[in-house]
Amino acid sequence: MTAIKVRTLAGISVPDTPLVGRAIDYARRESEPYLFNHVVRSWLFAVRIGQLRHIDHDAEVVALGTLLHDITLNERFNGPRRFEVEGADLARAFATQGGLDERRAQLIWDSVALNSTPSIGLYKEAEVALCTAGICLDVVGLQYELIPAAEIATIVQEFPRLDMKRRMTRCFCHIAEVRPETTYDNFVRDFGERYVPGYRASSAVDLVSNAPFEE
């Protein structure tokens, strides 16, 4: 990859370009503080995993994919599609307006759209896989052991979690309440079934049984 300007953030060397700076500003403006800290931690974890595993990648793509992956995760969300797809469209538009070509913008779209689907995202292009890994490390601790504990502590100290588990759960429950039709094939369904009275999502079993064919 072409060398780009870097800076140190919470002890991690990250790209320092005008587009990345605008993405940080966008994420900060659109996100609650706990969620902004989450996307920054996800970015730092993704970058560090790439460094530790010597994975060649497009640093700007990883930055935008992680920083913008939850741009629609809030209690204002009202669809109509699943929140990851709505966010992916916004992130791709931001990238293309910032001058990225179609291929790089599509990698950002995939990173955002698949951010909560590690069973797919971890096996795609390096950029998508790193975004997925960084996000999943921060949310569920996936591959937590890859990064030295002292480095994780530094990142969390600089970008505190701010009651993330409870606040994020509220957002997922909101989506399950207002847009249950967007949750039947993603993890938000689990939050609806656990916490939302009367929640009922479509079942893949019903979709197959009710397909408009005789057999």
Side-chain angles (χ1 to χ4, degrees), residues 2-210:
T2 303
I4 59 177
K5 183 181 177 182
V6 299
R7 67 182 173 118
T8 300
L9 187 61
I12 308 299
S13 179
V14 298
D16 183 21
T17 68
L19 186 58
V20 171
R22 292 198 295 274
I24 292 172
D25 291 342
Y26 182 26
R28 181 184 286 111
R29 184 172 66 250
E30 294 297 322
S31 306
E32 293 183 54
Y34 89 89
L35 196 61
F36 174 73
N37 284 5
H38 159 60
V39 301
V40 175
R41 289 194 309 270
S42 298
W43 175 34
L44 297 174
F45 290 147
V47 170
R48 192 66 181 120
I49 290 170
Q51 293 168 350
L52 291 168
R53 289 193 156 180
H54 307 289
I55 298 173
D56 186 33
H57 63 277
D58 185 323
E60 276 193 319
V61 166
V62 169
L64 269 65
T66 48
L67 289 168
L68 303 182
H69 81 271
D70 272 344
I71 206 72
T72 52
L73 185 61
N74 53 60
E75 293 184 70
R76 304 183 306 275
F77 179 78
N78 193 30
R81 300 166 300 172
R82 54 189 282 177
F83 81 94
E84 302 98 326
V85 173
E86 296 286 347
D89 281 356
L90 291 174
R92 180 168 56 191
F94 178 91
T96 55
Q97 290 165 10
L100 298 195
D101 61 33
E102 183 178 348
R103 182 190 66 82
R104 299 174 77 198
Q106 184 60 42
L107 286 172
I108 292 167
W109 192 95
D110 286 354
S111 297
V112 176
L114 295 172
N115 84 81
S116 59
T117 314
S119 56
I120 298 174
L122 290 173
Y123 302 97
K124 284 185 62 65
E125 296 88 348
E127 293 78 12
V128 180
L130 284 174
C131 287
T132 304
I135 293 161
C136 288
L137 193 160
D138 196 56
V139 176
V140 300
L142 185 68
Q143 302 184 102
Y144 185 89
E145 71 285 351
L146 284 179
I147 300 177
E151 294 183 9
I152 290 180
T154 297
I155 291 170
V156 173
Q157 181 177 13
E158 189 153 341
F159 297 96
R161 293 178 66 85
L162 302 178
D163 198 22
M164 185 180 91
K165 291 181 181 181
R166 183 182 65 84
R167 290 174 177 270
M168 191 169 276
T169 294
R170 284 176 53 185
C171 288
F172 296 149
C173 289
H174 166 76
I175 294 170
E177 288 172 352
V178 302
R179 287 292 180 177
E181 70 277 10
T182 70
T183 67
Y184 82 93
D185 62 346
N186 66 36
F187 73 98
V188 175
R189 179 180 190 141
D190 295 340
F191 288 84
E193 290 178 341
R194 179 73 61 88
Y195 297 116
V196 179
Y199 169 83
R200 188 177 186 278
S202 300
S203 168
V205 175
D206 294 333
L207 293 176
V208 172
S209 297
N210 297 328

